[in-house]
């Protein structure tokens, strides 16, 4: 049991939280004007990324952003 706790503690000590791979400037670069809509889209993309277990790639997120921009 002690070994299990030691292993878990070691994992926790070295764990780094995932970092969302997009910034607002990334969306501006693909044609999104700065403003509230940009912030809303960024939040929507971050939520999708989190719900995917942080598995969605930067390229996939940019593709989704481009599709959302094109839709509007």
């Amino acid at each position: 049991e002690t070994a299990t706790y030691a292993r878990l503690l070691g994992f926790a000590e070295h764990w780094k939280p995932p970092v969302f791979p997009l910034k607002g400037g990334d969306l501006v670069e693909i044609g999104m004007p700065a403003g509230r809509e940009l912030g809303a889209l960024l939040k929507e993309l971050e939520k999708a990324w989190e719900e995917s277990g942080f598995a969605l790639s930067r390229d996939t997120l940019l593709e989704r952003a481009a599709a959302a921009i094109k839709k509007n």
Side-chain angles (χ1 to χ4, degrees), residues 12-35:
E13 289 175 341
H14 295 90
W15 181 78
K16 301 222 186 293
V19 177
F20 184 57
L22 296 181
K23 305 266 187 247
D26 297 319
L27 301 187
V28 170
E29 285 182 17
I30 63 170
M32 182 84 179

Side-chain angles (χ1 to χ4, degrees), residues 46-64:
E46 186 170 14
K47 182 179 179 187
W49 177 70
E50 290 170 354
E51 289 175 350
S52 77
F54 313 107
L56 292 176
S57 70
R58 174 181 166 76
D59 289 341
T60 299
L61 291 165
L62 285 171
E63 288 172 9
R64 288 186 179 197

